[in-house]
Amino acid sequence: MTHSDKSDPFGEGQLLDDVFDVLGNVQRRHLLYFLREHGEASLDELADVVAAWIGAREGDDVVTPSDRNRVYATLYHIHVPKLTEFDLVRVGTEDDEDVVALEPLPEGLDRILDEALELESSVSKEAVAAIRDER
Amino acid sequence: MALTDIITAAEADRTVLRVCSPTEYDGLTDRFSHRNVVVEHTPLPASDGEGFVIVRRGDEFVGSVSLDALDALSHPRTPAPGSRELEGDNFQQLLGLLDDTVFTSFDRRQMLATAREIEDRAWRTGRGTLYTGFQTLSAMEDQLRVYRQLATMSELDVHVFGEGNWNPPDIENVTVHAIDSPDITNVWFVAFDGGGAELNRCALLAVEKRPGAYQGFWTYDPERVGAIIDEIRSAVDMNEEEETGGGEPKA
């Protein structure tokens, strides 16, 4: 289990385990959806978008500054480092050291993100409600 | 500070409305062009059906709501205070985010829609004092239904101001002040003191720049609402009239 092996982070039979590990978090998925569309963004912008997007999906009335700041903190401390570890994003470009930029994604991960995004839009609310009801 | 100075001070803030959606929201920029609001569009992936609006003021994240809030904003309605139509309304949430938002050209209908949000909050709170300046009292004639409704709240004290060109009927809990001070008659305002809860304070204040075109702002900032109410009360000598403060229905 050598996640730090940068040369082949998704190789050697680890591919699906690692893909689902990375995608098993709603903030990381939305960060990746956004960067696939825009290539790069500042951490401030990512925190705004990820917080607002998830809030809108979950039917929150209003996403508040403290909601958004919590997202900023987890992106900064947990999710961006994790995505960097898997070589999916890099922090800092020639022009801007604070920008988060998307790296070329492994083909499998790209495909699963496509599917995940569609499921996110169509299924999430009903499915989440159903799962909660069953508990 | 005169009421018109309070409007100038509010104009210093600029709001950015960032609309994130798969396709551009038609005509949105036009809808906000008469306001001190910059609208930007950020594309979301095409397969995503939903969208949202992020509101920023300067370097501050103010809040975000889902995109359907904008539908209501572009079709302002004026339902009666306390009506179901206003409850849980995204329009109200978006108004909250656009707090202290300056507008440069609201028509009468947009003014009424915003005023109604404030009257509705007063009605819901059910106590406290609501101050309404109609410029001329005859403008109250169209609003009698609303003010009769507000008057059903016995602990809500309502004061209406305007140039005395019309004699409104007596309504319990509603005190009419016929007044010709330009400080009051030059502006259209609705201000609610929150009924003891600072968070419930809100106000709308505007001047009529051209016939039917209003420039001003609304705010949920307790201090700014307090400043507006102080100004109204001192302009009509209510501070001396009711030294114990508002909130008690006048006999």
Side-chain angles (χ1 to χ4, degrees):
Chain A
M1 292 272 268
T2 53
H3 288 170
S4 55
D5 181 0
K6 296 263 175 177
S7 61
D8 189 11
F10 287 95
E12 293 177 25
Q14 280 290 312
L15 175 68
L16 279 182
D17 282 2
D18 286 346
V19 163
F20 284 113
D21 181 12
V22 167
L23 298 186
N25 176 279
V26 67
Q27 293 187 18
R28 284 200 293 269
R29 286 197 302 278
H30 283 80
L31 186 151
L32 289 172
Y33 299 146
F34 189 76
L35 286 186
R36 285 205 309 174
E37 191 80 14
H38 295 273
E40 59 181 49
S42 70
L43 196 57
D44 266 319
E45 183 178 6
L46 286 171
D48 283 12
V49 168
V50 169
W53 202 344
I54 295 172
R57 279 202 201 291
E58 292 180 348
D60 291 353
D61 288 345
V62 175
V63 175
T64 65
S66 64
D67 297 334
R68 181 267 178 197
N69 290 342
R70 271 196 298 277
V71 170
Y72 182 96
T74 50
L75 289 183
Y76 180 82
H77 289 292
I78 299 167
H79 301 315
V80 171
K82 179 144 191 155
L83 293 168
T84 308
E85 183 192 333
F86 283 102
D87 270 347
L88 300 177
V89 303
R90 66 181 185 282
V91 179
T93 62
E94 281 177 15
D95 303 328
D96 186 351
E97 61 182 20
D98 293 324
V99 82
V100 179
L102 191 68
E103 296 282 18
L105 294 180
E107 197 259 341
L109 189 136
D110 218 22
R111 259 171 46 205
I112 294 170
L113 271 177
D114 286 339
E115 292 291 334
L117 178 59
E118 268 189 40
L119 289 171
E120 210 101 56
S121 315
S122 57
V123 175
S124 56
K125 275 177 202 164
E126 292 79 0
V128 166
I131 290 166
R132 280 182 187 153
D133 285 347
E134 281 170 24
R135 279 186 191 151
Chain B
M1 193 159 39
L3 288 170
T4 45
D5 293 337
I6 296 178
I7 294 174
T8 310
E11 284 169 356
D13 290 327
R14 189 170 99 147
T15 302
V16 177
L17 211 63
R18 175 185 246 203
V19 180
C20 301
S21 60
T23 53
E24 200 144 355
Y25 211 75
D26 278 345
L28 202 60
T29 310
D30 293 343
R31 263 170 225 162
F32 285 91
S33 61
H34 54 279
R35 293 232 227 123
N36 202 22
V37 172
V38 178
V39 180
E40 295 172 352
H41 177 248
T42 300
L44 290 185
S47 55
D48 204 82
E50 302 178 38
F52 47 90
V53 188
I54 296 168
V55 180
R56 267 190 170 266
R57 189 169 305 116
D59 290 336
E60 298 288 318
F61 176 92
V62 178
S64 68
V65 293
S66 63
L67 192 56
D68 51 12
L70 290 175
D71 293 331
L73 189 67
S74 57
H75 304 109
R77 309 166 317 245
T78 52
S83 76
R84 294 187 63 82
E85 225 183 314
L86 280 168
E87 281 178 39
D89 195 317
N90 272 326
F91 179 47
Q92 201 153 14
Q93 291 154 5
L94 190 65
L95 283 184
L97 295 182
L98 297 177
D99 188 10
D100 274 19
T101 287
V102 176
F103 48 87
T104 53
S105 175
F106 256 20
D107 62 25
R108 201 176 152 71
R109 185 165 172 74
Q110 290 168 305
M111 284 290 292
L112 283 171
T114 309
R116 196 56 39 85
E117 298 288 333
I118 293 167
E119 291 154 356
D120 185 69
R121 184 176 285 215
W123 188 86
R124 255 174 235 258
T125 305
R127 61 181 185 281
T129 309
L130 181 76
Y131 304 83
T132 301
F134 278 119
Q135 298 176 282
T136 54
L137 286 179
S138 58
M140 186 185 178
E141 199 170 354
D142 288 341
Q143 304 297 313
L144 275 179
R145 184 181 58 95
V146 171
Y147 280 79
R148 286 210 165 95
Q149 176 85 13
L150 287 166
T152 61
M153 291 290 160
S154 61
E155 288 176 54
L156 181 67
D157 197 13
V158 179
H159 290 268
V160 174
F161 307 85
E163 201 183 311
N165 63 345
W166 182 64
N167 271 333
D170 280 347
I171 307 175
E172 204 180 348
N173 301 322
V174 176
T175 311
V176 175
H177 304 254
I179 207 146
D180 53 11
S181 156
D183 264 0
I184 293 292
T185 58
N186 282 345
V187 289
W188 181 346
F189 58 83
V190 183
F192 177 51
D193 74 353
E198 286 222 322
L199 284 177
N200 282 331
R201 286 186 173 189
C202 46
L204 163 72
L205 174 61
V207 289
E208 192 169 6
K209 282 292 182 186
R210 300 184 308 281
Y214 295 84
Q215 178 181 352
F217 72 105
W218 66 75
T219 181
Y220 292 70
D221 176 348
E223 277 185 32
R224 200 164 255 167
V225 175
I228 291 169
I229 290 174
D230 280 351
E231 192 55 45
I232 295 166
R233 293 178 67 90
S234 69
V236 297
D237 288 337
M238 274 175 76
N239 287 332
E240 288 156 33
E241 208 175 292
E242 287 178 38
E243 279 189 323
T244 52
E248 286 190 325
K250 293 180 82 173

